[in-house]
Amino acid sequence: MSDEQTATTGTRAGFVALIGEPNAGKSTLLNRMVGAKVSIVTHKVQTTRARIRGIAMEGASQIVFVDTPGLFRPRRRLDRAMVAAAWSGAADADVVVLLIEAHRGLTEGVRAIIESLNDRSGAAPVALAINKIDRVKAETLLALTQKLNDAYPFARTFLISAEKGHGVQDLRDWLAAEVPESPWLYPEDQIADLPMRMIAAEITREKLTLRLHQELPYQLTVETETWEERKDGSVRLDQVIYVMRDGHKGIVLGHKGETTKAVGLAARTELEEFLGRRVHLFLQVKVRPDWLNERERYSEMGLDFSDGDG
């Protein structure tokens, strides 16, 4: 589409980076905006590893969301690669949205993000979205809004509940007007640019995270090894769950394999709903003691291995 055509049709398109501390509600907001589950949502922190993009259509605007890993103080290679991915997502975006939790307020982590924003956001406007507003009183919210706007010149402030949907449409309308005039970047019916193999792996990893709680916080990863389209319209997926120790393998399998079976069933059910067709899912558990330091694993997660260099 030429610039002339763009002007005539009045289409807009651009990238919006959602940044914030772990667990601020970025994935929930992305899923609410896009209207489909494309980003893993759990109660655990640091669950979003790759820059998952979801696409929302609002009028003549196409808003491409970059859901970044939560910003925190990195300790390991994986942590450093995740934080680098988050800031890279913010640097490449047309608009940045800083999401913070109303009940946690201006934490030390939020202060650090605001300091970094001064150096990293470039010319992109930064909006503030205060999430989980139902958890605090109106006067607390007012004081917090003032304090945050004193700390950084936000283009706009939105008070929202990503979970319940309050205020989300206002934010969406503003973003639709903020993204630059441009032809659409993706086909209208596409909701995520992440390969389906990776989305499938994320869904299984979410089910594992929910099932195992504190037992294996970040020491496992899931990869979709094969994706086979069947003649009957169904799909066969073979996935590998990588763990770091033999003892972890036993935890993931569970007594007589019951944990893996339950995880497989939950993941398959969600995948069938997501894909709108039958799914045959086969899970294997393998021990790879050093997967956190393997370049290939990072590529599978959509992260840059070299970003983790200390």
Side-chain angles (χ1 to χ4, degrees):
M1 196 183 282
S2 69
D3 290 344
E4 211 171 282
Q5 283 173 300
T6 306
T8 316
T9 54
T11 58
R12 290 177 173 271
F15 292 94
V16 174
L18 303 175
I19 65 167
E21 289 187 285
N23 252 16
K26 296 181 297 298
S27 297
T28 306
L29 179 59
L30 175 67
N31 293 335
R32 169 74 63 180
M33 288 275 193
V34 175
K37 186 167 182 176
V38 293
S39 189
I40 186 170
V41 179
T42 72
H43 59 283
K44 294 185 88 64
V45 298
Q46 298 170 29
T47 45
T48 305
R49 288 181 180 168
R51 278 164 283 177
I52 297 173
R53 294 187 177 98
I55 298 158
M57 300 301 302
E58 186 60 47
S61 296
Q62 188 178 69
I63 309 163
V64 185
F65 289 98
V66 186
D67 181 35
T68 60
L71 290 163
F72 54 95
R73 295 195 188 284
R75 291 192 297 277
R76 306 164 305 166
R77 173 179 281 278
L78 178 60
D79 295 343
R80 290 192 291 273
M82 285 165 66
V83 168
W87 280 120
S88 172
D92 297 342
D94 297 295
V95 187
V96 176
V97 178
L98 170 61
L99 196 63
I100 78 145
E101 295 176 285
H103 59 292
R104 290 182 65 209
L106 186 50
T107 62
E108 190 187 324
V110 171
R111 282 183 199 279
I113 291 170
I114 287 173
E115 277 172 33
S116 297
L117 269 176
N118 285 311
D119 307 327
R120 298 181 189 245
S121 64
V126 183
L128 171 67
I130 302 177
N131 191 23
K132 305 179 186 178
I133 53 169
D134 45 324
R135 296 199 189 182
V136 298
K137 293 193 170 111
E139 55 270 29
T140 308
L141 209 49
L142 201 63
L144 176 61
T145 302
Q146 186 63 55
K147 200 189 292 184
L148 284 158
N149 277 276
D150 287 345
Y152 187 86
F154 292 105
R156 280 283 298 273
T157 299
F158 297 89
L159 306 178
I160 67 167
S161 167
E163 195 178 353
K164 295 178 179 168
H166 304 319
V168 173
Q169 189 59 47
D170 288 344
L171 173 57
R172 194 176 154 129
D173 289 343
W174 181 77
L175 291 171
E178 276 301 305
V179 292
E181 284 191 6
S182 158
W184 289 341
L185 304 167
Y186 294 91
E188 193 176 350
D189 59 353
Q190 190 171 333
I191 58 163
D193 81 340
L194 202 64
M196 284 309 305
R197 292 162 71 106
M198 210 187 281
I199 290 178
E202 280 290 272
I203 285 172
T204 301
R205 189 166 71 88
E206 177 189 39
K207 302 309 172 201
L208 279 162
T209 307
L210 289 169
R211 176 92 185 185
L212 295 168
H213 302 299
Q214 301 301 323
E215 292 175 89
L216 290 177
Y218 313 111
Q219 294 179 328
L220 58 78
T221 191
V222 180
E223 289 178 18
T224 305
E225 280 206 326
T226 61
W227 179 296
E228 183 197 326
E229 298 283 344
R230 295 257 178 106
K231 283 179 183 168
D232 63 1
S234 68
V235 63
R236 176 193 166 119
L237 300 183
D238 290 278
Q239 292 183 334
V240 180
I241 301 162
Y242 287 114
V243 294
M244 295 178 76
R245 299 190 182 94
D246 282 321
H248 292 170
K249 185 175 181 178
I251 294 169
V252 172
L253 287 168
H255 181 60
K256 293 184 178 175
E258 65 183 25
T259 302
T260 307
K261 273 184 204 153
V263 165
L265 176 63
R268 181 172 60 77
T269 304
E270 186 163 314
L271 276 163
E272 287 185 335
E273 195 181 318
F274 188 81
L275 296 169
R277 56 186 167 142
R278 202 147 167 245
V279 172
H280 309 277
L281 178 62
F282 298 89
L283 300 178
Q284 258 187 302
V285 186
K286 290 184 182 176
V287 179
R288 286 189 84 104
D290 207 32
W291 76 259
L292 275 171
N293 292 311
E294 290 177 14
R295 187 178 292 274
E296 196 185 331
R297 305 282 80 80
Y298 283 68
S299 300
E300 282 289 329
M301 290 187 276
L303 296 171
D304 189 332
F305 182 78
S306 58
D307 280 343
D309 292 339

